[in-house]
Amino acid sequence: MSWGTELWDQFDNLEKHTQWGIEVLEKYIKFVKERAEIESNYAKQLRNLSKKYQTKKNSKEEEESKYTSCKAFQTTLNEMNDYAGQHEVISENAASLITVELTRFVQELKQERKQHFHEGRKAQQQIETCWKQLEASKRRFERDCKEAERAQQHFEKMDADINVTKADVEKARQQAQIRHQMSDDSKGDYSSVLQKFNREQHEHYFTHIPGIFQKLQDMEEKRIGRMGESLKTYADIDRQVVPIIGKCLDGITKSAESISEKQDSQMVVESFKSGFEPPGDIDFEDFTQNMKRTVSDTSLTKADSKSDPKVPSKSRNKLWPFIKKNKLMSLLTSPHQPPPPPPASSSPSAVPNGPHSPKQQKEPLSHRFNDFMTSKPKMHCFRSLKRGGSTPEDFSNLPPEQRRKKLQQKVDELNKDIQKEIDQRDALTKMRDVYTKNPQMGDAASVGQKLVEIGNNIEKLRVEVQKFEGWLAEVEGRLSARNDSSRRQSGLYDTQNTQTVNNCAQDRESPDGSYTEDHSQEPEVKVTPTEFDDDFDDEEPLPTIGTCKAIYPFDGENEGTISVTEGEILKVIEEDKGDGWTRIRRSEEDEGYVPTSYIEVYLDRNAKGAMTYI
């Protein structure tokens, strides 16, 4: 069907319809443009989201990213970044292939439509002009005919009247002839104009208007077809990225399947294994020897002689890395023997909780052991960590196992640097040979100077490698020796597990992983003032938690004790933990332990550290 033949009289409706079609296309362009903006914003938000949760360099998260679950998550973030890129592709293609092209096409349609309807209006104006001419010619012919008829009737009337002169009759006859001539002329003109109008009208409705309407029809069909192609392009734009998006999702699925629970668990062991041995059993401390004493000084002396301080400890607990300085020093400096009984005159054993004996709340030894085991590791007590200073070059601040790993990692990094320098040296050597053979290509002397610098760098790196390998061998030797020693001690304990000991001295391990064990028969652990200065010189002194009054004199001859006189008032800095000793202070540099039964304690329960446990 053709608009020119079927819609020859629907000029106005076709004008409205074609305008509506262009508006529909503009609406579709606006839709695609907004969709492109949504895709662009979505891609931007996805990228920002992925960037937000990416592992930051030189942070704790970078160390945690070695776990398979974290690697899978990072892979997911990377895939989402690529996923966002595909949405950017959708936005760009929609803008370039649809929005821009259709916008230009709409402008062309508007121009073409304007031209066609201008031609149509011009044809309509032409036919209307012909119609007006026809109407004017027709009215003139009608008027002339009527006037000729009236002139003929007047002539006939005059000719029949006998009273009218012959001259008047002749005049009426001539007037009638003139009117008839004018009527004949108008008739001829009307006939000519009518024929011309019919021709114009035929051409208008069968040639001009059908041609214009056909062009409008072609334009509209082209618009409809172009919109269909755009819709297909719209679908193809999404379809093109579907395979890549599928690969992104497949990558996420693959990374999820690569997660290994066992491997992550093993990595936790490798990351946090210290290399220390678990603490051994706490030795039994026999306090029944003090119960055998008598009121006399002789029996007191015998009781003191029975508690021989030269009984070595059968087991030593390696807990020092997890104890703060003051608590560690308390363990190392506190007397490891039962406190002496008070004078016989007012023995607390004879009169429990008497007027001269403060109430003692003994704490079971098992509670102290639980406190040992449940205390949170506080590695920050070391000076280098507490001050936030740089890590020692040999990583001596780390536990043995972690130190070994850090040293091994450092050796590997240095070897890689050496290999890079060697590769660079080989390349420069070849370049020097080429310059030597072909001087016009470059100066061989400049390359030689660079080779000397690289050689020096390699020597420096090798020295560093030897240094770190020495530390590594030292740590590995100590670890293996400690494992052998642990097995030997375990066998020795199996044969001596029934023996009773009166000492609970502990092994001490230095920060670099070495162990120092006291094999002497000394009754107490002797600590030099500078033994822990490097690691604990910034630790604050213990706070005062109360006061005490000496009710008996005490000489304080043993290491870690302090002498007091009867009636002296001193400060309490650590309560009795069940071993019969209380730590007191006279001045900042004068503090130590005294038997709890020799003093009367007044604790300030609101003071900081009043309930401090080792």
Side-chain angles (χ1 to χ4, degrees):
M1 292 185 179
S2 174
W3 285 8
T5 58
E6 303 293 336
L7 303 175
W8 61 270
D9 57 346
Q10 299 298 321
F11 185 88
D12 294 337
N13 289 332
L14 288 179
E15 185 178 13
K16 294 178 181 178
H17 177 75
T18 51
Q19 179 62 33
W20 170 82
I22 292 177
E23 291 175 355
V24 170
L25 193 56
E26 289 177 336
K27 185 185 296 185
Y28 173 68
I29 294 173
K30 186 177 180 181
F31 160 75
V32 175
K33 184 177 180 180
E34 292 182 1
R35 163 73 191 281
E37 292 177 356
I38 291 173
E39 292 290 344
S40 179
N41 294 333
Y42 179 55
K44 183 178 180 180
Q45 291 176 358
L46 277 181
R47 287 192 183 277
N48 292 337
L49 181 65
S50 178
K51 182 179 179 181
K52 177 181 178 181
Y53 289 95
Q54 283 285 354
T55 300
K56 297 177 178 59
K57 294 183 178 180
N58 300 325
S59 66
K60 184 179 179 181
E61 295 180 358
E62 189 174 11
E63 298 179 1
E64 296 173 350
S65 62
K66 61 186 177 182
Y67 298 104
T68 57
S69 56
C70 293
K71 288 181 179 179
F73 179 54
Q74 292 300 317
T75 302
T76 300
L77 294 178
N78 294 333
E79 295 294 346
M80 290 307 298
N81 195 49
D82 296 340
Y83 185 88
Q86 299 310 307
H87 284 277
E88 289 179 346
V89 171
I90 292 176
S91 176
E92 293 173 358
N93 290 341
S96 61
L97 301 179
I98 298 179
T99 304
V100 175
E101 294 294 330
L102 284 186
T103 301
R104 183 167 55 248
F105 177 70
V106 166
Q107 295 300 325
E108 294 175 356
L109 280 183
K110 289 182 177 180
Q111 189 66 27
E112 183 180 357
R113 175 180 175 276
K114 181 179 180 181
Q115 181 180 356
H116 294 330
F117 280 100
H118 177 70
E119 294 176 356
R121 291 191 182 91
K122 186 176 180 181
Q124 283 187 335
Q125 291 176 358
Q126 181 67 24
I127 195 67
E128 287 176 358
T129 301
C130 292
W131 173 258
K132 290 179 180 179
Q133 291 177 357
L134 178 62
E135 286 293 321
S137 176
K138 180 181 177 181
R139 286 195 297 270
R140 186 168 59 252
F141 172 60
E142 182 181 6
R143 184 180 67 249
D144 290 343
C145 288
K146 289 180 180 180
E147 289 180 356
E149 184 178 358
R150 283 196 300 269
Q152 181 66 27
Q153 291 176 357
H154 179 69
F155 167 70
E156 291 177 354
K157 183 179 180 182
M158 292 291 289
D159 188 42
D161 190 0
I162 59 175
N163 296 322
V164 177
T165 63
K166 188 176 180 180
D168 293 333
V169 172
E170 186 62 26
K171 183 179 179 180
R173 186 180 65 78
Q174 291 178 355
Q175 187 66 29
Q177 288 178 351
I178 292 172
R179 292 297 180 184
H180 279 290
Q181 185 62 40
M182 291 177 61
S183 175
D184 291 339
D185 293 341
S186 299
K187 181 179 179 181
D189 184 58
Y190 171 66
S191 177
S192 176
V193 172
L194 179 60
Q195 291 176 4
K196 180 181 178 181
F197 174 78
N198 289 334
R199 285 196 308 270
E200 292 290 338
Q201 181 176 253
H202 186 275
E203 290 179 359
H204 176 78
Y205 288 110
F206 291 94
T207 303
H208 297 306
I209 291 299
I212 294 172
F213 283 8
Q214 185 63 41
K215 292 178 182 179
L216 290 173
Q217 182 179 357
D218 295 340
M219 182 194 73
E220 182 68 8
E221 290 177 354
K222 182 169 64 174
R223 177 195 68 81
I224 296 172
R226 188 62 177 271
M227 187 169 181
E229 293 176 359
S230 298
L231 289 172
K232 184 179 179 181
T233 303
Y234 178 85
D236 291 339
I237 289 173
D238 282 70
R239 187 178 291 109
Q240 289 173 359
V241 301
V242 167
I244 304 177
I245 291 178
K247 290 182 180 179
C248 294
L249 299 178
D250 292 341
I252 296 174
T253 303
K254 186 176 180 180
S255 65
E257 293 173 351
S258 66
I259 295 177
S260 174
E261 300 86 347
K262 298 296 183 182
Q263 184 177 349
D264 282 4
S265 299
Q266 181 63 29
M267 286 184 179
V268 173
V269 174
E270 294 176 357
S271 298
F272 301 108
K273 182 179 179 181
S274 65
F276 295 120
E277 291 293 331
D281 295 338
I282 300 296
D283 293 331
F284 176 77
E285 299 183 30
D286 190 1
F287 295 98
T288 59
Q289 296 180 7
N290 296 333
M291 297 175 60
K292 298 177 182 180
R293 66 177 181 269
T294 61
V295 182
S296 63
D297 294 339
T298 305
S299 61
L300 178 62
T301 305
K302 292 180 180 180
D304 291 340
S305 64
K306 288 181 181 180
S307 58
D308 187 2
K310 294 186 179 182
V311 179
S313 174
K314 298 297 181 179
S315 175
R316 295 179 173 89
N317 301 321
K318 301 173 179 58
L319 294 173
W320 77 271
F322 310 104
I323 307 174
K324 294 179 68 174
K325 173 195 171 184
N326 293 320
K327 296 181 181 180
L328 173 63
M329 296 305 295
S330 299
L331 288 175
L332 297 179
T333 60
S334 62
H336 295 287
Q337 60 182 3
S345 59
S346 299
S347 174
S349 61
V351 184
N353 300 327
H356 298 287
S357 176
K359 295 182 180 181
Q360 304 297 328
Q361 297 180 355
K362 300 296 182 180
E363 188 174 2
L365 194 58
S366 61
H367 290 187
R368 296 184 63 200
F369 179 73
N370 291 335
D371 291 337
F372 278 127
M373 299 303 296
T374 57
S375 63
K376 185 176 180 181
K378 297 183 179 180
M379 297 296 293
H380 59 271
C381 63
F382 296 120
R383 179 180 63 179
S384 61
L385 295 182
K386 181 177 179 181
R387 289 177 177 175
S390 59
T391 304
E393 186 181 13
D394 60 351
F395 304 105
S396 58
N397 61 317
L398 299 177
E401 185 67 23
Q402 298 301 319
R403 184 188 179 199
R404 181 188 65 80
K405 292 178 181 177
K406 287 290 185 180
L407 290 173
Q408 184 63 54
Q409 182 180 356
K410 187 66 176 179
V411 169
D412 295 339
E413 291 176 357
L414 290 173
N415 286 330
K416 290 181 180 179
D417 293 340
I418 291 175
Q419 187 60 42
K420 289 180 181 178
E421 294 290 340
I422 291 175
D423 295 340
Q424 188 176 1
R425 183 186 63 184
D426 295 341
L428 289 175
T429 302
K430 295 180 181 179
M431 185 182 295
R432 184 185 61 182
D433 296 340
V434 172
Y435 288 171
T436 303
K437 295 178 181 179
N438 302 296
Q440 68 276 8
M441 296 182 65
D443 185 11
S446 61
V447 178
Q449 185 178 1
K450 185 65 176 178
L451 284 173
V452 173
E453 294 178 2
I454 293 177
N456 294 334
N457 293 338
I458 292 176
E459 290 300 323
K460 292 179 182 178
L461 290 173
R462 284 176 176 170
V463 171
E464 288 291 317
V465 169
Q466 292 177 359
K467 179 173 63 175
F468 281 96
E469 285 179 345
W471 287 332
L472 180 61
E474 179 184 358
V475 174
E476 290 177 345
R478 288 175 178 174
L479 285 174
S480 60
R482 192 195 65 190
N483 292 335
D484 296 340
S485 174
S486 175
R487 288 193 293 270
R488 290 195 299 270
Q489 289 178 3
S490 176
L492 181 63
Y493 176 78
D494 291 339
T495 60
Q496 298 178 352
N497 56 358
T498 58
Q499 296 183 11
T500 304
V501 293
N502 300 323
N503 192 314
C504 60
Q506 301 177 345
D507 281 349
R508 299 175 302 281
E509 186 180 47
S510 62
D512 62 353
S514 61
Y515 288 80
T516 57
E517 297 188 3
D518 186 6
H519 297 286
S520 67
Q521 300 297 322
E522 295 180 0
E524 60 272 342
V525 180
K526 295 184 178 180
V527 182
T528 61
T530 61
E531 184 173 355
F532 292 95
D533 284 354
D534 292 339
D535 291 333
F536 302 104
D537 59 354
D538 289 340
E539 191 70 27
E540 296 180 358
L542 288 174
T544 301
I545 60 174
T547 58
C548 67
K549 179 181 180 182
I551 57 179
Y552 304 112
F554 180 68
D555 294 337
E557 298 177 352
N558 295 330
E559 183 74 21
T561 60
I562 184 173
S563 61
V564 297
T565 59
E566 184 177 356
E568 185 178 3
I569 304 298
L570 303 105
K571 299 177 182 178
V572 178
I573 59 176
E574 187 176 322
E575 294 183 72
D576 184 357
K577 302 304 179 183
D579 56 359
W581 294 90
T582 299
R583 191 174 180 181
I584 62 175
R585 178 187 294 149
R586 179 179 287 109
S587 62
E588 293 185 358
E589 298 181 355
D590 191 9
E591 62 181 44
Y593 289 87
V594 296
T596 305
S597 57
Y598 277 57
I599 58 176
E600 188 172 6
V601 181
Y602 308 97
L603 292 179
D604 182 4
R605 293 298 175 181
N606 296 326
K608 180 179 179 182
M611 300 302 293
T612 302
Y613 292 91
I614 296 178

